Amino acid sequence: MLQIILRVIGLILLMLGVIMVYDARILTNRWFGFGDQNEASSGFKILGFIICIAGAFIVYFNKI
């Protein structure tokens, strides 16, 4: 049961990371209203990549 829960959490993290990478500019337009969107969108892409890697590790190393 714990394996299924961890796998679902890992897949959700993976999905959120991919969404943050691909929709970074749209998300920064929606959430933030300041003028420097290039730095914010690159920050969102980096954060999304890290979240995606964390989710992939959870899913991959959950083979007990």
Side-chain angles (χ1 to χ4, degrees):
M1 185 69 182
L2 182 63
Q3 291 176 344
I4 295 171
I5 293 171
L6 283 176
R7 191 168 289 166
V8 168
I9 290 172
L11 289 174
I12 289 172
L13 283 175
L14 229 155
M15 181 182 63
L16 287 175
V18 169
I19 288 171
M20 283 181 74
V21 168
Y22 283 115
D23 293 336
R25 190 163 302 273
I26 296 169
L27 292 174
T28 54
N29 282 338
R30 184 177 299 163
W31 290 343
F32 304 115
F34 55 87
D36 196 14
Q37 290 179 340
N38 290 332
E39 289 184 19
S41 64
S42 66
F44 263 52
K45 286 182 182 186
I46 292 169
L47 182 66
F49 182 72
I50 292 170
I51 291 173
C52 188
I53 294 298
F57 275 129
I58 290 173
V59 171
Y60 183 73
F61 290 118
N62 195 16
K63 297 178 184 177
I64 297 175

